[in-house]
Amino acid sequence: MGRKKLWTERLTVPLNEETVERMDSLLAKDEVRLDLIRTAIERELKRRERQTQKPG
């Protein structure tokens, strides 16, 4: 029996060459682009969730 999928959905995100080059230049050793993208998305989601919880 196989293991449970960690990522249940795929998204295709068109990015310009400059953005990809910037990402690649900042990757840590042995880090893959997807790790950087997932981390950035998670941070942005948390930031926006905090904003929606502020009164006013």
Side-chain angles (χ1 to χ4, degrees):
M1 188 163 160
R3 62 184 174 155
K4 187 174 180 178
K5 285 185 178 183
L6 292 176
W7 319 110
T8 58
E9 186 156 345
R10 288 191 177 271
L11 300 174
T12 301
V13 181
L15 299 170
N16 65 38
E17 188 174 327
E18 180 183 341
T19 301
V20 174
E21 288 173 357
R22 288 172 59 205
M23 286 190 316
D24 288 346
S25 72
L26 297 170
L27 291 173
K29 185 180 181 199
D30 298 326
E31 183 180 25
V32 294
R33 275 187 205 148
L34 284 177
D35 292 339
L36 174 69
I37 293 167
R38 286 184 184 119
T39 300
I41 290 170
E42 189 60 35
R43 282 186 185 155
E44 182 63 14
L45 289 172
K46 287 179 181 178
R47 184 186 73 80
R48 290 181 184 211
E49 289 167 348
R50 283 192 307 268
Q51 282 183 338
T52 61
Q53 293 171 359
K54 290 182 181 179

